[in-house]
Amino acid sequence: MSEATLDPVTLAVLKGRLEQIADEMDATLYRSAFNPIIAEAHDACHGLYDGDSGDTLVQGKSGLPVFVGAMAFAVRAAKRAAEALGGMREGEVWLFNDPYEGGTHANDFKLVRPVFRDGRLLCFLASAAHWHDVGGAVPGNYNPAATECWQEAVQIPPVRIVQGGQINPDVLAILRANTRLPDSLWGDLNGQLAALELGARRLAELLDAYGDAVVLQALQALRERARRLMRAQIASLPDGVYSFSDVLDNDGVTDEALTIALDMTVQGERLVLDFSRSSPQCQGPVNISRATAVAACYVALKHLFPEVPANAGVLDAVEFVMPEGLVITAQRPRPVGGYTETILRMIDVIFSAAAQADPRRAVAQAYGTINALSIAGHRSEGARSGQRWVMFSFFGGGHGAHAGGDGLNHGNAPISTATIPPLEILEAAYPVRFTEWALRPGSGGDGTHRGGLGAVYEIELLERQAQAFVFGERGKSAPKGIAGGGDAQANRFSWHSQGAWHTPPMVSKMLGITLERGDRVRLETPGGGGWGPPAERSADERAVDARRGYLADAADAAHPGEQP
């Protein structure tokens, strides 16, 4: 059925109602999760997926965009697993964290619930959320030295966590036995199940009100609209082949740069993203699966063409060339836990290639790393003495400048809508104190429009002892400007112990840093790249930069004599 056969007002109402279902599922999980990365940072996603293909139909506005592409692969994986056992049944929910089938990494648990009407499978509801700790060698699971997936986290294939409306106690026992934080896991799992239950009720109400056929027709019409809009946006770019490559610092195991290379072809309404020149899959955990790579491309395209709706129609208009065995199409058991760093670099190269086609549409590179930091130990005092604690968080940086103005200071990673957890929440939950949380002067790239500033975070340990682990990027190759704009400052991680500052041999990655009470870890995150020639920035704008303390004269003055 076509969009033309559906009343435009009805289509608009149904679009709003369907998106509201996904939004309510998001809100339900955010309000009930035990884990701050879900509850505060909103590292999760919910949506509706096609009953036959598993393709994305609707996603909530506050869910992570990177999950839109990846979750379609996850739904298909659950569907295949169910078909091998006789098919999907009413009253069940499938759970798994396999990153090679469902994308992203093993912390992201996917729950898939089939929706039946009169005994017929109509569609799927699905939830993805970042669980705090799921085993592996490193608390929080960002293991920069992993050489196979089992060193990163427990690997759970698609299994029924709910059967006949009841939680499967055998699966739950396996999950609880493979985490350092079983209470957090239990709370997050219940939050996801509650979100899916709410979504099923809301969808049933909508189907009862409008009829199954009309709602399915609206979903098809919305996908067709996204496909047409995407093709029109592609056609607005000049035809040509636009190439760009960038690098990752290293894979955490071997200190050699890895290339992410793109040849982008625009021909009328046809867009081809060819990553064939990228580095082969590597030993360390910066590999990603093909599902994750496709999802990263989706996020970049949504940034470039924000008017296009968030569903699978966006991807219908794009051809992906990603041969097997690359760092972006890695296969089991290659580790993939640091997927965030690699998809950020994929987004960077898409932005920079698009800038060659139309610099007024593109954005300069953002800070390019989440700086995943874990600090973990045991309580040594009070009623909770001996209790395990794991602080995991990610951190912000500057966004790239664009034709319309300066980049955003201290923003969230462009792979998602996840927010940086507030320091008050982290300090309340864990024995740490933030001694500094500030903008990093001079960290944004110069240009007609200045790149946004990165940030400085310094964290003091308040417990007797702990270990720290960091998994970052952009320590060697800074975010780049476009259209003549300057590059940003590179990432810098250090820690202070035994009276001196230290930096990692791998620059942006480090395993098992021993901390004593009063020791500190320090992150100085990159800014964003600049846009346009610096000579064209006005004197008035530079005076405002100076008055606000944005310029480089104070950039490295925090502790110049102490840093190595």
Side-chain angles (χ1 to χ4, degrees):
M1 298 180 183
S2 68
E3 182 179 335
T5 63
L6 192 64
D7 177 84
V9 174
T10 302
L11 179 61
V13 170
L14 287 173
K15 177 178 181 292
R17 289 281 299 271
L18 289 162
E19 290 176 349
Q20 179 65 21
I21 291 170
D23 288 342
E24 282 195 66
M25 289 193 288
D26 283 342
T28 298
L29 177 58
Y30 300 155
R31 291 170 182 170
S32 58
F34 285 23
N35 165 13
I37 297 300
I38 301 174
E40 297 293 336
H42 295 178
D43 194 344
C45 166
H46 296 85
L48 282 74
Y49 300 83
D50 187 87
D52 293 322
S53 66
D55 289 345
T56 303
L57 299 174
V58 175
Q59 189 202 6
K61 292 185 285 295
S62 61
L64 265 66
V66 72
F67 285 147
V68 174
M71 279 300 291
F73 289 90
V75 171
R76 291 173 201 138
K79 191 169 184 282
R80 285 194 301 270
E83 288 168 351
L85 297 174
M88 290 278 182
R89 302 184 183 95
E90 290 193 63
E92 66 183 22
V93 177
W94 288 75
L95 168 148
F96 71 109
N97 72 336
D98 185 337
Y100 308 95
E101 294 288 344
T104 63
H105 63 169
N107 286 87
D108 295 332
F109 267 75
K110 288 87 174 178
L111 274 64
V112 178
R113 174 172 173 158
V115 175
F116 287 84
R117 295 283 287 181
D118 299 323
R120 181 175 68 94
L121 178 63
L122 186 78
C123 65
F124 295 96
L125 296 173
S127 171
H130 180 114
W131 288 8
H132 204 152
D133 182 275
V134 283
V138 169
N141 306 113
Y142 267 81
N143 181 358
T147 56
E148 53 185 16
C149 59
W150 299 286
Q151 296 168 353
E152 297 181 303
V154 63
Q155 305 287 306
I156 303 294
V159 292
R160 294 185 181 99
I161 185 63
V162 175
Q163 291 179 276
Q166 301 296 317
I167 290 181
N168 185 329
D170 299 335
V171 174
L172 180 60
I174 292 170
L175 293 172
R176 289 177 66 90
N178 283 279
T179 176
R180 296 168 177 87
L181 304 167
D183 290 344
S184 176
L185 179 150
W186 175 236
D188 296 343
L189 171 61
N190 274 290
Q192 286 184 268
L193 292 172
L196 291 174
E197 176 64 26
L198 176 69
R201 291 203 311 269
R202 292 287 188 265
L203 182 57
E205 292 166 2
L206 182 64
L207 293 166
D208 289 344
Y210 286 87
D212 298 4
V214 172
V215 174
L216 289 174
Q217 183 182 0
L219 290 168
Q220 181 59 36
L222 292 171
R223 178 170 183 162
E224 179 59 30
R225 176 182 289 181
R227 182 187 297 115
R228 290 203 314 268
L229 285 171
M230 187 66 190
R231 287 176 175 164
Q233 295 288 343
I234 293 167
S236 71
L237 297 173
D239 286 358
V241 178
Y242 308 99
S243 300
F244 196 86
S245 62
D246 208 334
V247 296
L248 297 164
D249 293 342
N250 51 56
D251 68 355
V253 177
T254 303
D255 199 10
E256 296 177 0
L258 296 161
T259 299
I260 306 295
L262 170 65
D263 299 305
M264 184 178 79
T265 300
V266 179
Q267 188 175 24
E269 294 184 344
R270 179 171 174 262
L271 177 66
V272 180
L273 301 179
D274 185 345
F275 289 90
S276 302
R277 295 187 296 109
S278 299
S279 291
Q281 59 187 1
C282 57
Q283 280 188 286
V286 296
N287 298 292
I288 60 175
S289 67
R290 189 180 191 278
T292 307
V294 171
C297 294
Y298 167 85
V299 174
L301 294 171
K302 276 290 294 173
H303 278 287
L304 293 171
F305 310 122
E307 300 87 355
V308 180
N311 64 52
V314 173
L315 301 180
D316 291 343
V318 182
E319 179 183 344
F320 302 99
V321 181
M322 299 174 178
E324 293 295 330
L326 299 179
V327 69
I328 63 165
T329 53
Q331 297 173 327
R332 195 188 315 275
R334 299 282 181 162
V336 295
Y339 88 101
T340 49
E341 309 308 289
T342 306
I343 64 175
L344 284 167
R345 204 63 66 253
M346 289 185 71
I347 292 171
D348 286 341
V349 299
I350 293 172
F351 281 2
S352 294
Q356 298 172 25
D358 184 357
R360 299 200 64 81
R361 185 194 296 269
V363 179
Q365 292 182 1
Y367 61 104
T369 176
I370 71 164
N371 275 316
L373 176 68
S374 296
I375 305 176
H378 291 84
R379 304 277 182 176
S380 62
E381 300 170 352
R384 292 186 289 174
S385 179
Q387 185 182 82
R388 184 72 153 153
W389 62 276
V390 178
M391 187 197 94
F392 170 80
S393 190
F394 47 81
F395 297 89
H399 279 235
H402 48 90
D406 295 343
L408 176 69
N409 293 333
H410 189 219
N412 306 309
I415 58 175
S416 72
T417 53
T419 59
I420 305 156
L423 70 87
E424 294 87 354
I425 296 296
L426 296 175
E427 288 183 338
Y430 310 111
V432 300
R433 174 168 55 217
F434 281 79
T435 57
E436 187 169 1
W437 179 303
L439 294 178
R440 182 185 179 190
S443 55
D446 200 0
T448 308
H449 301 300
R450 173 187 49 74
L453 299 186
V456 178
Y457 308 90
E458 192 168 281
I459 307 168
E460 179 184 352
L461 177 66
L462 302 181
E463 255 296 349
R464 192 171 294 170
Q465 191 176 64
Q467 284 196 317
F469 309 82
V470 67
F471 198 130
E473 266 293 332
R474 285 296 190 201
K476 296 181 180 180
S477 175
K480 296 169 180 59
I482 61 172
D487 295 349
Q489 283 191 0
N491 197 26
R492 185 162 64 182
F493 173 79
S494 56
W495 73 96
H496 190 273
S497 66
Q498 298 181 342
W501 285 96
H502 314 271
T503 56
M506 289 277 187
V507 181
S508 54
K509 303 173 183 69
M510 188 71 181
L511 185 72
I513 301 166
T514 298
L515 301 175
E516 306 287 342
R517 194 189 308 270
D519 289 348
R520 290 165 284 156
V521 296
R522 183 179 177 87
L523 284 164
E524 297 168 77
T525 69
W531 190 97
E536 296 182 12
R537 188 167 181 83
S538 72
D540 288 345
E541 288 173 309
R542 292 197 179 278
V544 171
D545 292 340
R547 187 168 66 249
R548 292 176 174 172
Y550 289 172
L551 301 183
D553 56 351
D556 294 308
H559 44 211
E562 298 175 294
Q563 288 283 19

